Amino acid sequence: MQRYVSLTIVALGLIGLAGYLVVTKPVAAAQAEQSSAVFDSQGNLKLPDPHVFRRWVFVGAPLTPNALNNGKANFPEYHHVYIEEKNVQAYLKTGSFPEGTVIVKEMTRVLDPTFPDGSRTEPSGRGYFNGQYNGIDVTVKDSKRFAKTNGWGFFTFGHHPLPYTESAAEAPATECASCHQTFVTKTDMTWVQFYPLLRDKDPK
């Protein structure tokens, strides 16, 4: 009887171990593949696919046109900002983005200004409207890869009309990261104050 009980316990232990291995391996693989960022062998980020990121969550579109900044705005385009839904949900719950988060900023020029302030008149009234695409910037959260810039890497694929470069090296810290470190460290290096969904935590 004792031998039977012992064999039963051993068998149950082996079954449990097999179940553990089956469950944990896919989870580990999923964690390793959680980021949509793709890097080449030189560490350059590959251009994200617009057919993919334009279907992510659209969180906002700040605008600082040239005409309101003495003709020399640092970022004169609309900034259409997209983040994957799973990472938006994580931010709303925790106040920080998970490792591997990718934030895409797709820019468009102001549509053909006709007034000195850069605006124009359309059926809806006088204002600012989206013109042609004019560049893509991307930020990627990877605390190990970008430890020197608070865990985020910054990449630009050109501030100009299409086409863009197929890959981009990390921008020098003085170009992008330093501004984020100075002003938005407390909100995970992201300008959430410009994005109502993130800023207001999606109030019901």
Side-chain angles (χ1 to χ4, degrees), residues 176-196:
C176 299
S178 61
C179 189
H180 288 248
Q181 288 174 310
T182 299
F183 296 104
V184 291
T185 300
K186 293 182 179 179
T187 51
D188 203 1
M189 297 282 283
T190 306
W191 304 87
V192 298
Q193 65 266 40
F194 302 147
Y195 314 133

Side-chain angles (χ1 to χ4, degrees), residues 40-121:
D40 63 21
S41 58
Q42 285 75 45
N44 296 328
L45 181 67
K46 293 188 177 181
L47 180 69
D49 185 349
H51 296 95
V52 175
F53 71 72
R54 288 176 187 161
R55 288 158 178 76
W56 294 355
V57 177
F58 174 73
V59 297
L63 172 66
T64 52
N66 278 325
L68 300 182
N69 292 276
N70 297 318
K72 298 179 180 180
N74 290 327
F75 306 100
E77 309 97 343
Y78 279 99
H79 292 176
H80 292 223
V81 179
Y82 300 89
I83 307 172
E84 288 182 88
E85 182 180 3
K86 63 181 180 181
N87 297 324
V88 170
Q89 294 295 344
Y91 185 88
L92 295 177
K93 291 179 181 178
T94 67
S96 63
F97 291 103
E99 290 292 309
T101 294
V102 174
I103 300 177
V104 176
K105 179 172 65 179
E106 185 174 41
M107 291 161 280
T108 68
R109 292 183 176 182
V110 173
L111 181 64
D112 301 332
T114 57
F115 292 98
D117 65 358
S119 65
R120 61 179 289 113
T121 300

Side-chain angles (χ1 to χ4, degrees), residues 4 10 15 20 29 45 47-48 64 79 83 88 92 95 133 138 147-149 161 166:
Y4 174 77
V10 170
I15 292 172
Y20 171 80
L45 181 67
L47 180 69
T64 52
H79 292 176
I83 307 172
V88 170
L92 295 177
Y133 290 116
V138 178
K148 295 181 179 179
T149 50
E166 291 299 317

Side-chain angles (χ1 to χ4, degrees), residues 4-22:
Y4 174 77
V5 171
S6 297
L7 289 173
T8 302
I9 292 174
V10 170
L12 290 173
L14 291 173
I15 292 172
L17 177 60
Y20 171 80
L21 292 174
V22 169

